Amino acid sequence: MDKFMDSPWFLRLTALFLAIMLFFSVKAENQSSRNTIGDVFDLMQDVPVEVYYDTENLVVTGVPDVVNMTIEGPAQIVQTTKLLKDFTLKLDLQNLTLGEHSVRIQAENLSDKLDVRLDPATVTINIEEKVTQSFRVDPEMNTRLLAEGYEVKSMGVRPSSINVTGAKSVVDAISFVKVSITNDGSLDKPFEQKSRVRVLDRDLNKLSLALDPEEVTVKVDIQEYSREVPLKLQQKGQSSSGITIESAAPDVQFIRIYGPKSIVDAIKEIPVELDIDKIVKSGKVEVDVKSPEGITKVTPAKLKIQVKVSGDTSDVSKKTDDNKKS
């Protein structure tokens, strides 16, 4: 062994090995220095992601509109890339089947001298069948928008239905298609209003779908609160001598009264007075309908009562005619 180590060949081989190790060590250090010196990194936020798939028949969910991208490399290339933005981030889903997939976002047209990191780099997407379905639009309005003593008689929507397009699972989750009336309050007359349609699931969560049309016209008929109540006929005065009122029948049996709900609902009947002092023969008599306290209007305001009398009316009629002549 001592003779081998003392031989010139051993010394030559050892020197060669050390030279090779030194060469690779220096080269690695130089390479590391070249990769570090002059390199910079930059964060590009909200970089758009392009998605490729059959938009006619499919709907894709789970794709981010934008991602954050960090680029690292030579300063000039980093600055040029950030300034020109001539690269593309894309998801190519054209060959994927229906269902859930984990897909990596691809970066194209970037220099190979750049180190690129995306956040997120991989996304979970769901590919579903696109469907279109027609739904009726139901209007709604908060009654606190009404002026005191008024109510909604009717609400109509034009058009009455809309087409909803989206992923089948989302369309199947639709429970309500509504349009809401918005106003500052104290509504006391009919009006029309354009409003946006809202599509909701059973938990009243808003669903993101394509609507056609997105707005509809709502026609609201507002009237003063009213209710029909029966009339109660009351005789007033004294009939003339020899005259008997056999019957008195009004031409209507109910009177519609208008006003604040609390007052209107408290009234059970409307008294109507028939003055029999001047009734001398059978026929129709017109009387006024008086509004009870707190009631703003009654309809009809006048009504006719068919009166049937019996007895000797000749003397009464003669006296009446004489009074008119005098």
Side-chain angles (χ1 to χ4, degrees):
M1 176 67 72
D2 292 338
K3 290 183 179 180
F4 175 75
M5 294 180 64
D6 291 337
S7 68
W9 285 106
F10 175 77
L11 296 176
R12 292 171 184 166
L13 290 174
T14 302
L16 178 62
F17 175 75
L18 292 174
I20 292 174
M21 292 297 294
L22 181 61
F23 170 78
F24 282 108
S25 176
V26 172
K27 182 178 181 181
E29 184 176 349
N30 291 338
Q31 182 67 35
S32 176
S33 299
R34 284 196 300 268
N35 289 342
T36 303
I37 297 174
D39 281 6
V40 297
F41 74 92
D42 204 332
L43 173 63
M44 301 177 64
Q45 294 183 316
D46 299 334
V47 181
V49 178
E50 297 182 6
V51 188
Y52 300 91
Y53 65 96
D54 181 5
T55 57
E56 290 287 330
N57 302 300
L58 302 175
V59 174
V60 177
T61 55
V63 178
D65 294 327
V66 294
V67 297
N68 293 333
M69 183 174 75
T70 301
I71 54 176
E72 183 176 0
Q76 185 177 358
I77 299 178
V78 169
Q79 292 302 320
T80 302
T81 301
K82 185 177 180 180
L83 179 64
L84 297 180
K85 296 181 180 179
D86 55 353
F87 59 88
T88 302
L89 300 185
K90 75 172 188 177
L91 282 174
D92 190 350
L93 312 177
Q94 297 180 92
N95 296 323
L96 297 182
T97 59
L98 296 177
E100 189 174 276
H101 303 271
S102 182
V103 186
R104 188 172 183 82
I105 300 175
Q106 301 172 349
E108 293 185 345
N109 200 31
L110 281 169
S111 172
D112 57 5
K113 295 182 180 180
L114 291 176
D115 180 23
V116 180
R117 293 183 295 277
L118 302 178
D119 181 25
T122 302
V123 294
T124 299
I125 58 95
N126 191 34
I127 303 176
E128 294 187 69
E129 177 188 0
K130 179 189 283 188
V131 297
T132 298
Q133 191 171 333
S134 179
F135 289 87
R136 186 189 68 200
V137 181
D138 295 319
E140 62 179 5
M141 188 178 81
N142 192 328
T143 55
R144 287 181 294 183
L145 297 176
L146 296 171
E148 185 179 1
Y150 286 79
E151 64 176 347
V152 175
K153 284 296 183 181
S154 65
M155 288 194 293
V157 179
R158 189 175 66 249
S160 60
S161 63
I162 65 169
N163 291 326
V164 180
T165 302
K168 187 176 185 303
S169 63
V170 182
V171 173
D172 290 343
I174 295 174
S175 293
F176 308 99
V177 178
K178 293 184 175 293
V179 58
S180 298
I181 306 301
T182 57
N183 203 283
D184 294 334
S186 299
L187 298 174
D188 59 1
K189 57 185 177 181
F191 69 95
E192 287 189 4
Q193 180 182 98
K194 277 189 173 293
S195 299
R196 293 184 67 85
V197 179
R198 295 179 297 125
V199 180
L200 311 170
D201 64 12
R202 64 180 181 179
D203 297 322
L204 301 182
N205 296 313
K206 187 176 179 181
L207 301 175
S208 179
L209 294 158
L211 310 181
D212 182 27
E214 295 182 347
E215 284 189 342
V216 294
T217 300
V218 185
K219 184 176 182 180
V220 184
D221 184 15
I222 295 177
Q223 295 182 7
E224 193 173 11
Y225 181 74
S226 67
R227 188 170 67 93
E228 282 192 335
V229 295
L231 66 85
K232 182 179 180 181
L233 193 60
Q234 298 176 340
Q235 292 187 9
K236 174 185 174 182
Q238 185 70 35
S239 59
S240 300
S241 177
I243 297 296
T244 301
I245 306 295
E246 290 191 354
S247 65
D251 57 355
V252 297
Q253 297 299 318
F254 293 88
I255 302 294
R256 181 168 290 277
I257 57 177
Y258 297 79
K261 188 175 186 302
S262 58
I263 298 177
V264 170
D265 290 346
I267 296 176
K268 304 304 179 184
E269 61 184 14
I270 296 293
V272 177
E273 292 183 346
L274 173 63
D275 189 353
I276 63 175
D277 285 344
K278 302 176 182 179
I279 297 178
V280 296
K281 60 181 179 179
S282 299
K284 286 188 176 182
V285 179
E286 188 176 76
V287 299
D288 295 326
V289 180
K290 296 181 179 179
S291 297
E293 185 177 354
I295 297 301
T296 60
K297 184 175 65 173
V298 295
T299 56
K302 294 180 180 291
L303 58 84
K304 293 181 179 180
I305 301 174
Q306 180 68 48
V307 180
K308 183 178 180 181
V309 303
S310 64
D312 187 2
T313 62
S314 57
D315 291 340
V316 177
S317 299
K318 183 179 179 181
K319 291 180 181 179
T320 302
D321 292 337
D322 291 341
N323 290 334
K324 289 180 179 180
K325 291 177 181 179
S326 62

